[in-house]
Amino acid sequence: MAKTSKKSTRKFEKNHLKDTIERRKDVAKIKQRNQIKTKKKARNAKERGEIEPKDGELPNPNASKEESSQENPLAQMDVDEFFQGGFEVPEKPVNGAKASKHHGDLKRSSKRKRIEEEEEEEEQEEFNDSDQEQDDDLSSGFSEKAETPPSNSSDDEGDPELDIGKHMDELDALAQKDPEFYKFLQENDAELLDFDDSKLVGKGDLTDSEEDPSPKKKRKKSKPTKGENQDENEDEQILEKSGEMEVTFAMLQKWKKAMSKEHSLRAMRQVVIAFRAAAYVNADEVRELKYSIGNPDVYHQLLVLTLECVPSVLHHHLPLKESSNGKIRVQSDSKKFRTLVPLLKSHLSAVLHLLTSLSDASTSNKTLKYLTELLPYVLSFKKALKNLIKIVSSIWSNPPSKEATRITAFLALRQLFVIGDAGMRELILKHFYQGLLLGSRSTTIHTVEGINLMKNSASELWGLDEKIGYTTGFSFIRQLAIHLRGCITNNAKDSYKKVYNWQYVHSLDFWSRVLSSQCETLKEAKSGKESALRPLIYPTVQITLGALRLIPTAQYFPLRFHLFRALLRISRSTGTYIPLVPSLLEVLSLAEMRKPPKPSTLKPLDFATSIRVPKSYLRTRVYQDGVGEQVSELLSEFFVLWTKSIAFPELALPVTVMVKRWLKEVSHKSTGNRNAKVNSALVLVIQKLEANGKWVEERRAKVDFAPNNRAGVDGFLKDVEWEKSPLGAFVVGQRLNRREKEKVLAESRRVDELQRGKGAAESEEDEGEEEEGEEEDDEEVTVFGEDTD
């Protein structure tokens, strides 16, 4: 309604309009019921023959009516006229001039009384605040109810046209008396003006919903008010044959303007309903929706409008409150939120359905970000949230998904983890772990980066709530122990495959990342207490060592190196000493590294994406070189962890002796392995170990504390950086060389893929040209045949 109207009118619209409309509807219903009852009684009485004239007399109904009207003015009225009279008892007629004078006095007094009452009402309403009109969308028709009463076949015989005419006369009088109020009724409650007597409705009948299958009646077009466009209203009246309304650009512009400038909840509701139609546009199930979308540009603009404007409207009407611990809450007990609950549930299901059907990475990212903004408003929908966790975690663990999409999905579930309760957090952790296992089933050079992304991102969640992280981690690690115990006790032929697979290896590597990130010594020193996940280090290490030595054959050396690196990560971050050198010395003691290799033209094995070596690589020179490189690298990486330890000389001495003995054995001309590359690499490592041991002994000779002084032992060489030690400088150089080598390999791999792609494209073009040439030859043959005829 225009804001130029009187303040009393606006106040009435805000506080009393809804109740007044309901009362008028109830009065109309009562009038219809009474009319039907009266006609029923008359019809039944006529059928029973209760009204019969006396013998010999003709019935004279006019005479009785005249006599009763003189004595009682109510005798001539029927029930409808009595109700229309306003329940005023008419007085007996007075003779002559007294009657006219009395009638004039009564009319003047009633008019004066009515004027006084209106003035008092306006004066009283002047003291009330009338500034807020923005939230009237919700109270004046956010969820409009369409009354569709069932028809009664037994009451169709009556003719209520008289009452309809009276009702329409009253509405015409209202339009002349208060045109602004009548125009407001046309815009907000046209059903009251569009009165239909053939339908009678009760309070428990159906209401208008966004999925009402029956097409609605076309309402009368109201005159456009100020700020409205008549063309937009005409677009909303265009219906398809199926009863669905076609979404147009004009409608989108109208909704966008109302949502961005006025934060209109009614416009947001229409956008959400239209978005539902867009989400299910390619659904297999047949759904009856209010809107339909046939233009791809309209579809795109509708998605953009929803993702950009709906959160701002929700934030405006339902502001978020953030607590000290980072949790975000919404006032769920407010009237607005209770009204929006059905709409939010429907909208959440539509957004999740859209996520499952999207293939474009940028659209998926925007939808996931939009879903993150909706999370505080849907926290109370437990069933819908379970489906949300399932769908978003599947996107996060899906190998074909882009890296940006997977990160956005992780951030959405992380936000839900922060603001959710304990049950929701446990469910999120379980779905993350299950998604990691499903996504790591196949590991190749193309998927290994995505798997590492999943492991690094999921390991962060276990530190947000260490109490729930410990309980879930304990149960998952226990499952790994049960699988390993079953393989050891079961002597079946393929029982080891339950452990020697990518999923088991990635699970142990994942738990090593969780423990190394959450139980880091520097992190615990800052917090002043040990992590709640530290008790999980011992079982994880024991299970990893058991799996590492389950099948000590040369074919599973890559798997052993993977598990060695996982234990090395735990030892580096937590400061826990793990005896790993025996597993490397066991590799050197096997015949694969002691016997001379066979010449081969195979490509070097990629140990990062392999856990089992093909039999063609066994006893070959290329495989022996790769294993020797891995052993020398891991040996130096293990000892560099303790390069500043006061006990380093004693720690390195047994290893130095055993490796020197092995080098002497394999260097024999007749029985050795005849592999100078492997032997020279191990000789260099032994030299660095001896040099580092002498460096530590020189500084240890200058200390003045006993070995039982724990504080002195821990503070030994604390101010010296590990890179400045002899072994540390060697390891730094080796890491740089490996990085350069990896860059070269990645570049060559990329070039090979491009060449393969070009070759495939050229072959497809050649095939297409050949097909076109064959078609042209066929055409020429046909033409030549026609000419010869």
Side-chain angles (χ1 to χ4, degrees), residues 352-372:
L352 295 178
H353 184 272
L354 180 66
L355 273 177
T356 58
S357 60
L358 287 177
S359 58
D360 182 54
S362 60
T363 309
S364 299
N365 291 341
K366 291 181 180 179
T367 308
L368 287 169
K369 291 178 182 178
Y370 171 71
L371 188 63
T372 306

Side-chain angles (χ1 to χ4, degrees), residues 600-644:
S600 175
T601 58
L602 296 173
K603 291 183 178 180
L605 183 68
D606 189 2
F607 285 86
T609 59
S610 302
I611 58 174
R612 183 178 179 272
V613 178
K615 291 183 179 181
S616 59
Y617 276 88
L618 297 178
R619 295 294 182 90
T620 60
R621 181 65 177 264
V622 64
Y623 184 54
Q624 193 177 73
D625 291 345
V627 173
E629 184 180 352
Q630 292 290 318
V631 170
S632 59
E633 175 193 346
L634 295 175
L635 200 61
S636 60
E637 289 289 344
F638 171 76
F639 278 104
V640 82
L641 299 179
W642 316 105
T643 184
K644 297 192 303 179

